[in-house]
Amino acid sequence: MCTARDIDLFRTTSLDRAAARHLQRRRAADELVRIRHGVYVERNPWEALDGRSRHLVRMRAVIPLLRPGALFALDSAAAILGFPRLDPWPDRVRAVVPSLDHDVHRVGLTLHAGHVGADGRLFWGVPFSSRAWTVVELARRSSLSAAVVVIDDALRRGVSAAELERIAAETGPWGSVRLEHALEIADVRHESVGESYLAARAAELGCPDLEPQHEFVAPDGTVDRVDFWLPRLGIVVEFDGRQKYDDPAMLAGRAPRDVLWDEKRREDRLRARAEVRRFVRVTWSHLVAPERLRALFRQQGVPCR
C-alpha cells in the first residue's frame, strides 16, 4: 500500500531548463499532478492516497517556504498525529511562527502568528505541535462534534482533561465557549469516532445525559456492554457502524455473518431484560443530518429539546 512517505516530489526549481520542460510535458500528458506551483507528483501513487496522506505530501511540498522557527500546527499537526476527522482533509497547510505579528497567507499555506507547545519530534525536519496543544487549537476552531471527536481521541491516548483545561486557559477566551462545552461532553469511555459523534449530536439536540459503556450482567455471568444507556427511560442507544462488520481488526478473524449473528443474539438478550424498554440503533446517516437523528429519537421516545 502506498503511503505519503513513498511519494517522490519533483520540483522545477531544482531542475535545469530541459528537465523542467520534460516535467511540463509529462503533466500535459496527465502523468503528473501539480500539488502546488513548481511541485509535481506521479498521478497513480497520488490517486492511491487517502485524504490524510495527501495532506502530508502537501506539507512536504511547502517546507522550503516555511520561516525560521515554524511548527506545523492545527490540521497539519493533526495529520501527523493521526487524529480522526469528520470533514475532508484540507488542501491548505498550516503552521505557527512565533515571531510573526499577524497571519500570513500564501497559496496552499497559512503561517499563523502565536505560540504552541512542541511535540519534540520532527516531520521531515520540521517540529510540530504536541497532541494536547493540537487538540485545544482544533477544538477552538471546529464544530462541536469535531471538537468532541478529537478530544475523545486524545483522552483515549492518555492526554488528561486537566492538561487540556490548562492549555485552554493559556490560549485566551477566543473559542473558549465551544471548547468548554466539548470538554463537558467528551468522555474517555467513548470507544470510537461514531460514539463521540453521537454524544456530541445528542448534546446539541438537548437529549438527556447518556451513560456510556453501561454493562448488563446476566445470571450466568454473561456481560453485555452497550454504547449508551438512559437509565430513567430504560433506553439503550447503540451506534451501528459498518466498521464492525467489515474492518478486519474488529472482525478479529470472524466472518461478517458470524459477527452479525452474535450481535443479534446480544440484542435479543438485552431486549429480554425487564429494565430495557427500547433499543435504538443510530447510524452515520443520522449523525450527518441532525434532524434525522431528532426524528429517530422522538420516534423511539428519547426526549429532545
Side-chain angles (χ1 to χ4, degrees), residues 99-304:
S99 61
L100 287 178
D101 296 324
H102 55 83
D103 293 355
V104 175
H105 300 279
R106 303 188 65 172
V107 176
L109 171 66
T110 296
L111 301 176
H112 295 274
H115 165 74
V116 293
D119 179 271
R121 295 174 292 170
L122 300 177
F123 174 82
W124 292 85
V126 179
F128 52 92
S129 59
S130 70
R131 191 175 301 279
W133 273 91
T134 303
V135 167
V136 170
E137 292 298 329
L138 283 175
R140 292 168 64 211
R141 294 166 168 82
S142 303
S143 66
L144 179 64
S145 296
V148 173
V149 164
V150 296
I151 291 172
D152 276 349
D153 186 80
L155 295 177
R156 289 192 294 268
R157 298 191 193 203
V159 177
S160 70
E163 183 180 6
L164 297 178
E165 291 167 358
R166 176 186 62 79
I167 294 173
E170 294 179 17
T171 57
W174 188 83
S176 61
V177 173
R178 182 186 299 109
L179 177 56
E180 289 172 7
H181 193 190
L183 285 168
E184 291 171 356
I185 300 167
D187 194 309
V188 70
R189 292 174 293 174
H190 298 152
E191 292 187 336
S192 68
V193 171
E195 291 177 30
S196 300
Y197 199 179
L198 174 52
R201 284 302 199 204
E204 288 176 329
L205 295 177
C207 300
D209 292 336
L210 303 175
E211 178 187 331
Q213 301 304 317
H214 180 79
E215 292 185 345
F216 293 92
V217 183
D220 64 358
T222 301
V223 177
D224 291 313
R225 188 172 59 183
V226 299
D227 294 340
F228 297 99
W229 169 238
L230 282 71
R232 288 181 299 165
L233 300 172
I235 298 176
V236 170
V237 178
E238 289 267 273
F239 173 70
D240 195 19
R242 289 190 57 180
Q243 189 178 20
K244 70 172 68 174
Y245 306 112
D246 55 25
D247 184 343
M250 298 192 72
L251 289 173
R254 297 175 295 169
R257 63 177 180 275
D258 295 330
V259 174
L260 191 61
W261 176 249
D262 290 343
E263 186 68 15
K264 179 185 181 303
R265 293 178 62 195
R266 184 180 76 98
E267 182 173 335
D268 289 343
R269 288 194 300 269
L270 290 167
R271 287 183 181 274
R273 299 186 69 94
E275 67 268 42
V276 175
R277 301 189 185 97
R278 293 285 180 90
F279 193 104
V280 183
R281 288 193 177 274
V282 176
T283 66
W284 196 267
S285 66
H286 294 108
L287 302 181
V288 298
E291 289 307 312
R292 191 178 298 159
L293 179 62
R294 186 195 302 274
L296 173 68
F297 276 174
R298 285 180 171 171
Q299 180 186 22
Q300 296 295 333
V302 179
C304 296

